Amino acid sequence: MGLDLPNDDRIKDPVPETNLGCPFQADNARVHGEEQKVMLLTGASRGIGHATAKLFSEAGWRIISCARQPFDGERCPWEAGKEDHVQIDLSNHRMLPRAITEVKKRLAGAPLHALVNNAGISPKTPAGERMTSLTTSTETWMRVFHLNLVAPILLAQGLFDELRAASGSIVNVTSIAGSRVHPFAGSAYATSKAALASLTREMAHEYARHGIRVNAIAPGEIRTDMLSPDTEARLVPSIPLRRVGTPDEVAKVIFFLCSDAASYVTGAEVPINGGQHL
Ligand SMILES: NC(=O)c1ccc[n+]([C@@H]2O[C@H](COP(=O)([O-])OP(=O)(O)OC[C@H]3O[C@@H](n4cnc5c(N)ncnc54)[C@H](OP(=O)(O)O)[C@@H]3O)[C@@H](O)[C@H]2O)c1
């Protein structure tokens, strides 16, 4: 006795055929003349955020960015970058309602396809050493947790309608330090990233019924301003790929998670670390 499958078009491949090739091309709205996709990216001015903004803008996305510094048109060549930049300190939770209002103003009712919570801080001692739970001030704990954990919660809450309208995708940037003691990352940073990884799981569960996917990426040692000067000497020998990563290698994974190529991926935390966690 065989299976009685309906011989009609009710059973379909959930992924449209156009998305089976290179996700970068499939998502290039400009190339396909489709609606332009929009992302909100925190911390787009430097490092991983900067590489992410460049990659998405090359693929035709519109980038709305948030950071403390004003927009630098020379370093950030993406279109309408100045108008779409919200200058704000996300570690001050009282500023979050203003950030959300500013983003909504720029969206003007348009859907939001991606929210990438990338801005983060990893404070060190004046000598550049890791800050321990014995020595970190209450003020530093609060600043780190507000930026690294609370801002992603409030941004997603505040922009929920816009994300739902796009069946959008959230990517939280965690860290290898969230799952193991790290020689340079301090306790406040590590625990904020561990909490962000747990939050990703909780949000993925809660947002799934609304068609919103929530994932995280956990970078290892990536060459940005955040990297401690001794990283190459002390850590590279124990990284299986024997090098630190580059911001664009992280950006490509964020892009994958925000693309239709990842349409069945939610609640994942993708390590990007050259095998450092193995
Ligand atoms: N680099 C690594 O090896 C590594 C490893 C694991 C995880 N990560 C994570 O990856 C993310 C990006 O790191 P990165 O290395 O690219 O850092 P980065 O080069 O130091 O850049 C940080 C970005 O966040 C913005 N930012 C910092 N504080 C902010 C605040 N209070 N409000 C708004 N924006 C703020 C900065 O812009 P302004 O200064 O203009 O505010 C900047 O654009 C972080 O979440 C970090 O924890 C990095």
Side-chain angles (χ1 to χ4, degrees):
M1 200 168 69
L3 278 174
D4 192 17
L5 287 172
N7 187 20
D8 62 19
D9 65 357
R10 277 178 293 170
I11 296 177
K12 282 185 177 158
D13 187 333
V15 181
E17 226 171 78
T18 50
N19 292 337
L20 292 175
C22 167
F24 289 28
Q25 280 167 13
D27 267 64
N28 189 334
R30 296 279 163 85
V31 168
H32 292 264
E34 294 158 2
E35 169 202 31
Q36 186 180 23
K37 291 190 173 177
V38 188
M39 84 184 304
L40 172 63
L41 170 63
T42 65
S45 57
R46 298 195 304 269
I48 291 169
H50 189 260
T52 303
K54 263 188 85 200
L55 180 62
F56 276 72
S57 92
E58 280 161 17
W61 286 57
R62 174 182 167 199
I63 318 295
I64 301 178
S65 58
C66 288
R68 289 165 304 178
Q69 308 300 319
F71 188 78
D72 179 345
E74 273 179 36
R75 288 200 63 248
C76 308
W78 46 91
E79 206 179 301
K82 195 170 181 341
E83 299 75 48
D84 279 342
H85 181 66
V86 179
Q87 191 181 344
I88 203 133
D89 182 351
L90 294 170
S91 68
N92 179 351
H93 70 95
R94 288 186 192 83
M95 301 300 279
L96 262 293
R98 184 169 85 71
I100 290 159
T101 304
E102 290 292 328
V103 172
K104 281 179 186 280
K105 215 188 282 174
R106 283 160 179 79
L107 283 170
L112 182 63
H113 299 84
L115 164 62
V116 178
N117 290 305
N118 164 72
I121 40 164
S122 179
K124 311 275 189 306
T125 68
E129 288 155 357
R130 72 187 295 272
M131 298 177 84
T132 74
S133 64
L134 286 168
T135 54
T136 305
S137 69
T138 310
E139 194 194 44
T140 301
W141 276 97
M142 292 305 161
R143 198 159 48 90
V144 170
F145 266 74
H146 278 138
L147 178 61
N148 295 6
L149 181 72
V150 178
I153 299 169
L154 298 184
L155 288 173
Q157 258 180 24
L159 296 164
F160 173 76
D161 289 341
E162 290 79 0
L163 283 162
R164 183 172 52 180
S167 296
S169 172
I170 299 172
V171 178
N172 294 324
V173 179
T174 63
S175 168
I176 193 169
S179 55
R180 53 166 55 195
V181 175
H182 190 278
F184 303 118
S187 301
Y189 177 78
T191 52
S192 73
K193 293 297 187 178
L196 186 59
S198 300
L199 174 73
T200 302
R201 183 188 64 235
E202 298 296 320
M203 285 174 70
H205 187 257
E206 293 154 4
Y207 283 56
R209 74 197 69 168
H210 303 289
I212 301 168
R213 295 182 298 105
V214 187
N215 291 291
I217 54 139
E221 315 303 327
I222 309 299
R223 189 173 286 117
T224 70
D225 293 349
M226 193 179 275
L227 210 63
S228 293
D230 288 348
T231 301
E232 305 238 5
R234 277 185 61 184
L235 297 184
V236 164
S238 62
I239 297 175
L241 286 184
R242 291 288 185 276
R243 63 176 179 88
V244 300
T246 59
D248 66 297
E249 290 179 302
V250 180
K252 283 186 253 187
V253 182
I254 296 176
F255 193 95
F256 162 71
L257 289 171
C258 294
S259 76
D260 289 339
S263 54
Y264 201 52
V265 182
T266 196
E269 187 184 22
V270 183
I272 310 172
N273 59 30
Q276 192 179 352
H277 65 313
L278 298 176

